[in-house]
Amino acid sequence: MKEIPVYLFTGFLEAGKTKFIQESMEDPRVNNGDRTLILLCEEGMEEYDPSAFASQNVWIETVENEEDLEPQALQGLLDAHKCVRVIVEYNGMWMLDTLFRQMPQNWVIAQEYLFCDAGTFVSYNANMRQFVYDKLKTCELVVFNRCRDDIDRMELHKIVRAATRRADIAYEKPDGTVEYDEIEDPLPFDLEAPVVDIADRDYALFYSDLSDDFRKYNGKTLHYKGMVVKSPKLPDDTFIFGRQIMTCCANDIQFTGLAASWPQAATLAKGEWVTLTAKVNVKWHKAYGKKGPVLTVTHLEHVEKPEEPVATFY
């Protein structure tokens, strides 16, 4: 079955999504005649002007409710217009997992951009952190529109980086000029040290960075505190070592951890806290069902449960 590329644009009302898509459809390099379906999941002040599109092989369909995102219905809209690609202007108050779960099997996210009003973004993050994080976690580019010179870019940068270290960040000024974020994000621990010491407060950043590119940790020796999780499906010398992370609110707390190998693992109790020193080896492991970072423990100490057992992004 042929894959259908999906170009996903997220953000809240009046963030600039419609304007960007309109301008893209007016560009013959983008709107080159390929039959295109635009799924409009929220209606703001701006409306599309199809008469200005470079090609008229574009069809706009409105999705009124989040529950209307259903595979057969979405595929039906695509088939009705014989389209070969999809543009989604997504509703900022709908969770992205709904779309990802309900897309037809052959629909594949080709690009994902988040548009934000630089003047209101901090307020949105403070009051609707769950929705903001949801849009940040998988995007490739964050565009801050209406970014005046008096807006604190560092504050915007930190909010983005707390959710993702992969996304590029662009600041569009009121005059239309664009500047890209060049703020460096050094890790709060020395990855070149003989033993990489990861403080309690840095666990969430460590795990996020490792998840982005676990291969750069191959061969490194780590030292940090975590909780033991046991499973009867794993070998006697194996346990899962990690911590719970809260990304935006209490509802999204989840345990994150790595497979750890230690000859005396059977003596450990589920839920106890330890500090370990371990070497990372990237290899296939039953705990992952694929290649991943496996900790080979060289030293382990039993410790008290920390005052803040749930890790956060500061």
Side-chain angles (χ1 to χ4, degrees):
M1 187 179 296
K2 184 178 179 181
E3 289 186 347
I4 300 298
V6 177
Y7 300 88
L8 175 59
F9 299 89
T10 67
F12 301 97
L13 281 171
E14 310 310 314
K17 303 188 297 296
T18 303
K19 181 175 181 288
F20 183 86
I21 296 172
Q22 174 72 37
E23 292 175 350
S24 298
M25 291 295 97
E26 292 176 7
D27 187 341
R29 294 169 299 178
V30 177
N31 187 5
N32 57 7
D34 287 345
R35 300 175 74 89
T36 303
L37 172 65
I38 297 179
L39 292 178
L40 179 59
C41 299
E42 72 176 0
E43 298 186 60
M45 295 294 292
E46 288 203 42
E47 296 183 355
Y48 289 108
D49 178 11
S51 66
F53 290 172
S55 164
Q56 296 305 304
N57 282 347
V58 180
W59 288 264
I60 302 173
E61 295 284 358
T62 301
V63 182
E64 298 284 355
N65 303 297
E66 190 172 359
E67 54 267 27
D68 295 334
L69 294 170
E70 191 274 333
Q72 290 184 337
L74 296 177
Q75 187 64 42
L77 294 174
L78 186 82
D79 294 342
H81 303 298
K82 298 181 174 59
C83 293
V84 297
R85 62 179 179 176
V86 179
I87 293 174
V88 179
E89 182 178 346
Y90 203 62
N91 190 313
M93 303 306 292
W94 297 356
M95 301 301 286
L96 274 175
D97 284 346
T98 303
L99 175 65
F100 296 153
R101 186 173 59 251
Q102 296 291 63
M103 286 194 312
Q105 190 173 7
N106 63 322
W107 289 25
V108 178
I109 301 295
Q111 292 177 332
E112 181 183 342
Y113 295 159
L114 169 60
F115 288 81
C116 308
D117 184 324
T120 61
F121 180 73
V122 173
S123 177
Y124 269 107
N125 183 66
N127 295 294
M128 298 190 298
R129 174 61 178 163
Q130 183 177 8
F131 291 104
V132 172
Y133 174 79
D134 178 65
K135 307 306 178 293
L136 283 170
K137 63 183 181 181
T138 53
C139 70
E140 301 169 39
L141 173 67
V142 182
V143 179
F144 287 107
N145 291 310
R146 311 176 186 97
C147 191
R148 305 184 311 273
D149 290 339
D150 63 335
I151 290 177
D152 186 355
R153 294 187 181 184
M154 178 60 79
E155 187 173 17
L156 303 179
H157 172 95
K158 286 182 176 180
I159 293 172
V160 174
R161 287 291 173 254
T164 174
R165 297 177 70 89
R166 290 175 290 184
D168 292 323
I169 305 172
Y171 306 100
E172 183 176 355
K173 295 184 176 182
D175 64 4
T177 58
V178 176
E179 296 178 358
Y180 284 89
D181 186 285
E182 296 182 352
I183 300 172
E184 294 187 8
D185 288 297
L187 292 169
F189 45 84
D190 184 3
L191 202 54
E192 300 306 317
V195 177
V196 183
D197 191 19
I198 301 164
D200 284 356
R201 70 188 302 269
D202 296 330
Y203 177 83
L205 286 174
F206 152 70
Y207 192 83
S208 176
D209 187 65
L210 178 138
S211 298
D212 284 346
D213 183 11
F214 62 76
R215 295 187 184 278
K216 75 180 182 183
Y217 285 81
N218 191 35
K220 304 293 184 182
T221 298
L222 310 180
H223 177 262
Y224 63 104
K225 185 186 301 178
M227 184 173 64
V228 173
V229 171
K230 308 291 287 291
S231 170
K233 297 180 180 179
L234 297 177
D236 290 341
D237 66 347
T238 302
F239 61 99
I240 303 300
F241 181 70
R243 299 180 75 149
Q244 290 181 314
I245 292 179
M246 181 174 70
T247 51
C248 65
C249 60
N251 290 334
D252 75 355
I253 293 176
Q254 61 179 340
F255 181 82
T256 61
L258 304 178
S261 176
W262 189 48
Q264 302 175 56
T267 65
L268 298 173
K270 179 181 178 180
E272 71 173 306
W273 285 80
V274 300
T275 296
L276 57 74
T277 303
K279 185 174 183 179
V280 179
N281 293 291
V282 174
K283 59 184 179 180
W284 188 94
H285 196 280
K286 184 178 181 180
Y288 308 128
K290 58 183 179 180
K291 280 189 175 182
V294 179
L295 302 173
T296 300
V297 180
T298 56
H299 183 72
L300 183 148
E301 295 180 17
H302 298 270
V303 296
E304 295 294 323
K305 181 179 179 179
E307 291 185 11
E308 299 292 340
V310 179
T312 63
F313 291 94
Y314 300 163

